[in-house]
Amino acid sequence: MDEYFEKRKRLVERLKKEIGLSEKVARAILEVPRHLFVPPEVRSEAYNDYPLLIGHGQTISAPHMVAIICELLDLEEGDKVLEVGAGSGYHAAVVSRIVGADGVVISVERIPELADRARKTLKALGYTNVKVVVGDGSIGYEPEAPYDKIYVTASAPRIPAKLLMQLKNGGRMVIPVGDFIQHLHVVDRDEYGQIKTRNWGAVRFVPLVGEEGFKD
């Protein structure tokens, strides 16, 4: 019960009031030590509700946005989840808590140094159901496809066709789309393979770089 736990507890209480967290998402955020996924120099800011720089021009998303994406995904125990953009590994850690020991999170990160750091942090903290791979997340990760859920932590110019192809029938994807003006899209593939998309609202993310993203 150190100072970080108390800060994390207060963060969860604020998020419950502000966005109405489900119990499973609230529990996951309470369990994951966000301060261990950020650089030491900003550790004291880990439980403030805003993004933080993690190096290489990338950020760890604000806690409320991590929570919102988890809620929109409607994660279930046992889900196989694709994360595009591992960053520090924090979001994957939260998702891994929700999907449980029978679930798995495959996280694709294009920057090798970030992938390596995320891998080491996740391993040190005992997250055994997260696999971090280096690659172009804009085209997904075919070796583990298809996925129950897919989420993207960077904004794409459009919904990538190759990600849609890797989403199971009955699955869901959450992805920010846009350049200067971005919106978070919730994409559902029904049991017959038909796609429906709804716009959740305005957001702000770093750009998705890759074959089906923006050019570096």
Side-chain angles (χ1 to χ4, degrees):
M1 298 295 181
D2 61 16
E3 63 169 311
Y4 289 113
F5 178 81
E6 291 303 322
K7 288 181 178 180
R8 195 155 62 247
K9 187 176 178 182
R10 289 195 293 271
L11 171 65
V12 170
E13 291 305 315
R14 287 200 305 273
L15 293 177
K16 281 182 177 179
K17 291 177 183 177
E18 291 169 7
I19 62 177
L21 293 185
S22 63
E23 186 55 39
K24 61 186 175 182
V25 174
R27 185 171 59 248
I29 291 175
L30 187 62
E31 290 174 348
V32 178
R34 189 174 189 253
H35 62 282
L36 297 180
F37 288 89
V38 301
E41 61 269 21
V42 294
R43 195 161 284 176
S44 63
E45 301 177 66
Y47 298 106
N48 295 334
D49 194 15
Y50 48 70
L52 293 169
L53 291 170
I54 57 172
H56 302 275
Q58 304 301 300
T59 61
I60 180 173
S61 294
H64 77 271
M65 186 51 61
V66 172
I68 286 168
I69 290 176
C70 288
E71 296 286 6
L72 290 174
L73 283 169
D74 193 22
L75 296 160
E76 300 288 346
E77 287 193 26
D79 275 350
K80 178 188 277 190
V81 183
L82 174 67
E83 175 187 61
V84 176
S88 69
Y90 172 72
H91 200 153
V94 173
V95 172
S96 80
R97 286 296 193 194
I98 301 171
V99 302
D102 292 330
V104 63
V105 183
I106 308 297
S107 183
V108 186
E109 173 56 55
R110 71 181 180 87
I111 301 171
E113 293 85 356
L114 288 181
D116 186 56
R117 191 189 311 161
R119 224 180 267 125
K120 288 176 179 175
T121 304
L122 290 161
K123 183 179 179 181
L125 294 172
Y127 294 96
T128 58
N129 61 341
V130 181
K131 176 182 178 181
V132 180
V133 297
V134 176
D136 179 358
S138 76
I139 59 173
Y141 188 67
E142 186 64 36
E144 295 281 355
Y147 302 94
D148 298 294
K149 307 287 167 58
I150 297 174
Y151 67 99
V152 183
T153 65
S155 188
R158 66 195 69 80
I159 296 172
K162 290 186 178 180
L163 290 184
L164 283 176
M165 291 171 61
Q166 293 173 35
L167 185 64
K168 284 183 181 178
N169 285 0
R172 173 173 287 183
M173 174 164 57
V174 176
I175 177 172
V177 177
D179 190 356
F180 298 108
I181 299 173
Q182 302 174 3
H183 289 89
L184 195 63
H185 291 260
V186 181
V187 183
D188 288 302
R189 181 188 289 278
D190 69 20
E191 59 184 311
Y192 305 106
Q194 298 298 307
I195 301 294
K196 285 187 177 180
T197 302
R198 63 184 171 93
N199 185 335
W200 177 84
V203 291
R204 192 67 190 165
F205 283 82
V206 296
L208 177 68
V209 174
E211 182 181 319
E212 292 212 33
F214 294 99
K215 304 306 176 188
D216 195 0

